[in-house]
Amino acid sequence: KEQRTVLNMKADVAAKKFFVTNIPVGKPVVVITITKKANGNYFLAHETITTGSNGIAAGSQTVGLTPQASSLTDIKSYLATL
């Protein structure tokens, strides 16, 4: 929330979680996932968290998100609020 940053998070599809390393600990962030399926449907999920070690390693974070079907217009509107 203090700065705009984009990170590539690794997906664990089976567990429906995303994972990232080498991040500052104790920072408020908004985690967002945007997906476009092959059929053209879009999905969006977002969650505000405070980064921290969640038992894996300091400076790493695992986040579970459940994307919901969304229109591209709704996704753009949400992103404009950040």
Side-chain angles (χ1 to χ4, degrees), residues 19-29 31 49-63:
F19 179 78
V20 67
T21 58
N22 299 319
I23 59 171
V25 175
K27 298 291 184 180
V29 299
V31 179
I49 63 167
T50 300
T51 60
S53 175
N54 52 1
I56 298 167
S60 65
Q61 186 73 48
T62 301
V63 180

Side-chain angles (χ1 to χ4, degrees), residues 6-27:
V6 176
L7 297 174
N8 181 28
M9 299 182 80
K10 304 294 182 197
D12 180 343
V13 177
K16 296 184 180 179
K17 293 184 183 270
F18 296 87
F19 179 78
V20 67
T21 58
N22 299 319
I23 59 171
V25 175
K27 298 291 184 180

Side-chain angles (χ1 to χ4, degrees), residues 13-77:
V13 177
K16 296 184 180 179
K17 293 184 183 270
F18 296 87
F19 179 78
V20 67
T21 58
N22 299 319
I23 59 171
V25 175
K27 298 291 184 180
V29 299
V30 179
V31 179
I32 303 166
T33 178
I34 300 169
T35 304
K36 182 179 180 184
K37 298 280 187 162
N39 63 6
N41 292 341
Y42 289 92
F43 292 81
L44 171 70
H46 53 88
E47 182 176 342
T48 300
I49 63 167
T50 300
T51 60
S53 175
N54 52 1
I56 298 167
S60 65
Q61 186 73 48
T62 301
V63 180
L65 297 170
T66 304
Q68 302 296 319
S70 301
S71 69
L72 183 57
T73 300
D74 288 344
I75 292 170
K76 288 179 179 180
S77 294

